[in-house]
């Protein structure tokens, strides 16, 4: 057997085994949590297929999925995984678990050869699963090989509430803008674009650009393959919406997902995108069934939902708690929707207000829009996806305004602090100036006192330089004026007839034939440092005979 035959043979045998895998009960699904960076909670899971073959043991999806595509059984196992996932959501629902969306990977083959929309709907109907508990992950290749067909199928699925994710984004050739017209809700950024803290600033900017652009297109962003805390904190800081990866959990059997949700296992709070409180949505409508349909529509968006049956009650709800976005009916008994939103604007100008109405009384709407009472006017019956994205946009707008306000407040606070600081500083300077004025005044006072003394006084600085001579000293020794600035030891012999030894405080000497006693008086050391301040030499005239 030649070397090339071995892989070909293995492929043949493996292919044959794979086509029997369903019948032999060798396939199963594992589930990997998809976690919100806003709430930290598991919001969904990705279904990942595993094959344990009786003959070949564990075969990786990287090997058997392309094989299934080549040997023609991809449609069959694709339909199997859709059905399994639907059964699992129903099982979780009946076990009382909160809604959890299962995202199923769809092969390009399922688009090309099968009728994806029909297959998905068949699985939903057969199992009784809620379409909004199901998501599908499709790749760019699948979309772009026959864009028209893909678009039609995805539109159909999205219309019934199935979430569409673009898988492995970044590995294909298309840009987000090329996908703009595709009906998708979420972008799964491939793990090669999930930078760690050690990554270059350029690769972080690429990830940030993908996130910003996706948000600009009203798409949410999930980062795949998150393994480290560094990746997590970078993603959170750059506004990513969800993460999936080994950091939180590897793919696990359904039972372990249930345990994690019940526990609940959540992301550490320090990694969550900063939000002081939960987004709050106020729904106002006099029809009970509309309120419950809207509540159902928004229940998985993570908003805190508050409802009111009319304008008066709506105002009451607004008084009870902070609200970010209001969606109000127009025609209600008592107060009209526009009147209610007008009052809401006057009382809570920061709220973002939308009208959802079946009636269009043009003039009052134009007036309300023009005076800024309403941000958007939407009509009943509504399109679920459109309404969801309008409300999401309203929250983003509100958060942007909040952020601006926060920044403005921060700047104002910083300015106030700066002003207080400069005030304190100028106060300090003023006090310092006053003190030095005082010192100068007292120095001048001391100097004047010394000048008025009838005794000759010479001042020496700590180094022994002659620094000062009072009036009497200048009268007695006129040459002293030239000696100021000279070293006393050098100048004194000429001036006083001898040096003055440092050790002895009194020395008798004669000047101009008269007897003087030189008294050396050290000046008080100044300050805590006890610095030497120099000496004063007093020349006290002696009665003749007193001198030695
Ligand atoms: P995918 O859809 O991109 O799935 C994510 C893959 O990344 C999974 O590999 C998952 O186990 C792996 N992964 C998750 N977190 C991390 C992480 O932190 N680090 C690393 N290194 N890997 C992580 P898996 O399960 O081997 O699946 C590989 C691919 O096979 C999937 O890529 C998907 O394209 C395909 N596949 C799996 N199940 C199905 C299926 O039921 N139908 C179809 N059509 N394709 C499937
Ligand atoms: Mg996937
Ligand atoms: Mg992927």
């Amino acid at each position: 057997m030649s070397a090339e035959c071995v892989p070909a043979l293995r492929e043949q045998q493996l292919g044959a085994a794979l086509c029997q895998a369903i019948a032999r009960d060798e396939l199963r699904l594992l589930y990997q949590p998809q976690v919100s960076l806003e709430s930290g909670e598991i919001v969904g899971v990705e279904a990942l297929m595993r094959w344990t073959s009786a003959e070949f043991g564990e075969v990786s999806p990287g090997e058997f999925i392309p094989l299934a595509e080549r040997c023609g059984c991809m449609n069959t196992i694709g339909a199997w995984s859709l059905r399994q996932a639907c059964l699992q959501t129903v099982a979780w629902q009946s076990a009382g678990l909160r809604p959890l969306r299962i995202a199923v990977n769809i092969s390009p083959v399922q688009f090309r050869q099968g009728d994806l929309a029909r297959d998905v709907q068949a699985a939903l109907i057969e199992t009784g699963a809620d379409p909004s508990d199901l998501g599908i992950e499709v790749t760019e290749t699948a979309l772009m090989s026959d864009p028209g067909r893909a678009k039609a199928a995805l539109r159909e699925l999205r219309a019934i509430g199935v979430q569409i994710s673009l898988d492995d984004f970044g590995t294909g050739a298309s840009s987000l803008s090329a996908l703009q017209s595709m009906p998708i809700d979420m972008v799964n950024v491939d793990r090669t674009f999930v930078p760690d803290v050690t990554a270059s600033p350029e690769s972080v900017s690429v990830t940030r650009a993908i996130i910003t652009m996706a948000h600009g297109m009203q798409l949410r962003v999930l980062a795949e393959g998150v393994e480290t805390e560094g990746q997590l904190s970078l993603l959170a800081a750059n506004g990513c919406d969800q993460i999936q990866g080994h950091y939180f959990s590897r793919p696990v059997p359904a039972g372990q997902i249930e345990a994690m949700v019940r526990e609940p296992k959540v992301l550490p709070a320090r990694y969550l995108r900063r939000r002081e409180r939960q987004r709050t949505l106020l729904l106002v409508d006099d029809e009970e069934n509309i309120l419950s349909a809207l509540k159902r529509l928004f229940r998985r968006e993570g908003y805190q939902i508050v409802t009111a049956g009319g304008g008066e009650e709506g105002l009451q709800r607004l008084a009870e708690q902070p609200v970010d976005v209001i969606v109000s009916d127009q025609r209600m008994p008592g107060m009209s929707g526009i009147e209610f939103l007008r009052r809401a604007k006057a009382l809570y100008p920061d709220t973002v207000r939308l009208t959802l109405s079946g009636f269009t009384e043009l003039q009052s709407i134009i007036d309300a829009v023009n005076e800024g009472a309403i941000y958007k006017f939407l009509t009943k019956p509504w399109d679920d996806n459109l309404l969801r994205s309008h409300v999401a946009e309203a929250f983003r707008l509100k958060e942007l305004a909040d952020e601006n306000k926060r920044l403005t407040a921060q700047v104002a606070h910083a300015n106030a602090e700066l002003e207080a600081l400069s005030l304190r500083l100028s106060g300090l300077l003023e006090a310092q100036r006053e003190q030095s004025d005082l010192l100068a005044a007292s120095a001048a006072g001391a100097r004047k006192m010394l000048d008025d003394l009838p005794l000759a006084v010479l001042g020496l600085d700590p180094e022994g330089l002659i620094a000062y001579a009072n009036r009497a000293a200048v009268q007695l020794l006129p040459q002293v004026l030239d000696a100021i600035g000279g070293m006393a030891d050098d100048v004194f012999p000429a001036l006083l007839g001898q040096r003055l030894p440092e050790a002895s405080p009194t020395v008798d000497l004669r000047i101009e034939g008269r007897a003087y006693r030189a008294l050396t008086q050290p000046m008080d050391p100044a300050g805590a440092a006890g610095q030497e301040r120099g000496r004063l030499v007093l020349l006290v005239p002696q009665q003749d005979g007193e001198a030695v």
Side-chain angles (χ1 to χ4, degrees):
M1 198 185 288
S2 77
E4 301 92 78
C5 277
V6 178
L9 187 63
R10 176 175 158 89
E11 162 133 358
Q12 226 176 36
Q13 294 173 338
L14 210 59
L18 181 58
C19 292
Q20 292 166 29
I22 297 177
R24 291 183 180 176
D25 199 19
E26 290 175 350
L27 292 180
R28 72 206 152 99
L29 291 182
L30 292 185
Y31 299 92
Q32 188 176 31
Q34 300 183 321
V35 190
S36 159
L37 279 176
E38 236 162 58
S39 65
E41 290 178 345
I42 301 176
V43 283
V45 292
E46 179 179 20
L48 292 160
M49 210 187 291
R50 295 293 178 260
W51 177 29
T52 315
S53 157
E55 293 158 67
F56 299 95
E58 194 76 30
V59 186
S60 81
E63 187 174 9
F64 76 79
I65 296 288
L67 177 66
E69 288 168 347
R70 286 194 298 274
C71 70
C73 61
M74 189 62 236
N75 269 324
T76 317
I77 66 171
W80 175 86
S81 69
L82 272 168
R83 189 170 174 278
Q84 283 308 113
C86 289
L87 284 172
Q88 190 56 61
T89 70
V90 174
W92 277 335
Q93 279 287 302
S94 28
L97 215 62
R98 66 173 163 76
L100 215 56
R101 182 180 268 128
I102 301 186
V104 179
N105 288 287
I106 302 295
S107 150
V109 171
Q110 289 169 274
F111 270 106
R112 275 201 304 271
Q113 294 170 2
D115 182 342
L116 182 69
R118 195 203 55 204
D119 290 350
V120 172
Q121 281 165 1
L124 287 168
I125 292 166
E126 196 202 327
T127 56
D130 182 339
S132 49
D133 288 339
L134 185 71
I136 57 172
E137 296 195 356
V138 295
T139 58
E140 290 167 57
T141 334
L143 293 187
M144 297 328 246
S145 64
D146 187 350
R149 193 179 161 121
K151 204 179 199 172
L154 295 185
R155 267 222 187 104
E156 214 175 306
L157 292 174
R158 200 165 176 245
I160 58 168
V162 174
Q163 178 180 279
I164 320 286
S165 302
L166 182 63
D167 207 2
D168 305 337
F169 181 75
T171 56
S174 11
S175 65
L176 266 182
S177 52
L179 299 160
Q180 200 154 18
S181 64
M182 282 293 168
I184 46 182
D185 303 286
M186 182 116 141
V187 176
N188 293 2
V189 179
D190 189 73
R191 67 169 159 275
T192 47
F193 286 93
V194 175
D196 207 333
V197 275
T198 52
S200 68
E202 291 77 27
S203 59
V204 179
S205 338
V206 170
T207 315
R208 186 182 312 130
I210 296 176
I211 296 173
T212 310
M213 192 160 169
H215 283 169
M217 291 165 62
Q218 320 295 330
L219 302 172
R220 273 169 294 163
V221 180
L222 174 141
E224 298 180 333
V226 176
E227 295 179 348
T228 65
E229 295 198 342
Q231 291 173 317
L232 185 59
S233 60
L234 264 180
L235 290 163
N238 286 293
C240 183
D241 302 287
Q242 293 178 23
I243 59 118
Q244 176 182 347
H246 296 170
Y247 172 79
F248 190 86
S249 165
R250 286 175 181 271
V252 292
Q256 285 186 39
I257 295 289
E258 192 175 332
M260 281 189 232
V261 172
R262 291 201 194 278
E263 191 181 331
K265 180 176 164 123
V266 290
L267 279 177
R270 64 183 179 282
Y271 295 122
L272 302 188
R273 274 167 42 184
R274 226 163 275 292
R275 168 160 305 137
E276 268 103 53
R277 57 183 181 78
Q278 212 181 350
R279 292 171 155 186
T280 305
L281 173 66
L282 171 60
L283 302 169
V284 185
D285 204 303
D286 57 325
E287 284 181 60
E288 192 51 49
N289 58 342
I290 297 232
L291 280 182
S292 28
L294 289 174
K295 255 163 89 174
R296 238 189 347 269
L297 176 65
F298 290 114
R299 90 188 147 154
R300 64 176 67 243
E301 305 295 303
Y303 308 145
Q304 182 189 341
I305 297 179
V306 188
T307 56
E312 289 291 351
E313 204 185 323
L315 290 173
Q316 188 150 356
R317 294 290 99 80
L318 283 169
E320 287 162 4
Q321 69 229 285
V323 165
D324 303 294
V325 175
I326 308 174
V327 174
S328 171
D329 183 23
Q330 158 63 356
R331 193 171 276 189
M332 296 182 287
M335 196 185 299
S336 78
I338 284 172
E339 186 48 35
F340 159 62
L341 292 179
R342 241 185 219 128
R343 292 211 205 169
K345 179 189 179 229
L347 293 168
Y348 311 98
D350 292 343
T351 50
V352 179
R353 300 161 297 273
L354 297 87
T355 300
L356 181 63
S357 171
F359 304 92
T360 46
E361 295 130 6
L362 203 55
Q363 193 50 50
S364 59
I365 295 159
I366 291 173
D367 290 348
V369 171
N370 285 346
E371 68 191 62
I374 60 177
Y375 159 65
K376 264 191 184 149
F377 187 92
L378 309 170
T379 49
K380 285 180 191 165
W382 63 84
D383 173 299
D384 276 1
N385 287 317
L386 215 59
L387 182 55
R388 250 200 302 260
S389 81
H390 279 308
V391 168
E393 191 188 312
F395 274 107
R396 271 197 291 277
L397 194 76
K398 169 69 166 43
E399 274 152 18
L400 212 66
D402 286 351
E403 183 67 6
N404 272 341
K405 256 172 67 181
R406 198 180 61 76
L407 286 176
T408 313
Q410 229 170 38
V411 169
H413 181 73
N415 275 341
E417 265 196 349
L418 217 67
E419 205 168 309
L421 204 73
S422 80
L423 239 127
R424 265 212 315 275
L425 212 68
S426 59
L428 222 67
L429 281 174
E430 181 66 20
Q432 230 165 40
R433 211 179 50 231
E434 274 172 15
Q435 198 175 7
S436 62
D437 282 356
L438 215 67
L439 278 175
S442 65
R447 185 178 284 255
K448 182 163 185 321
M449 219 168 70
L450 286 175
D451 268 347
D452 290 348
L453 270 182
L455 285 179
V457 181
L458 300 170
L460 309 187
D461 81 355
E463 271 78 49
L465 283 173
I466 300 181
Y468 167 74
N470 74 346
R471 207 176 306 142
V474 175
Q475 268 169 13
L476 179 65
L477 306 161
Q479 326 86 293
V480 78
L481 285 177
D482 296 327
I484 285 180
M487 289 300 288
D489 279 354
D490 301 339
V491 184
F492 275 2
L495 216 53
L496 308 176
Q498 66 175 85
R499 286 182 172 201
L500 298 182
E502 239 172 78
S504 67
T506 63
V507 174
D508 290 324
L509 42 85
R510 298 193 78 86
I511 301 170
E512 304 282 331
R514 278 197 66 183
Y516 286 86
R517 175 163 288 175
L519 296 175
T520 303
Q521 175 70 46
M523 283 189 270
D524 279 344
Q531 285 159 315
E532 179 69 46
R533 287 178 75 193
R535 291 169 287 159
L536 287 179
V537 178
L538 284 74
L539 300 172
V540 186
Q542 304 292 300
Q543 296 294 329
D544 265 341
E546 274 181 72
V548 180

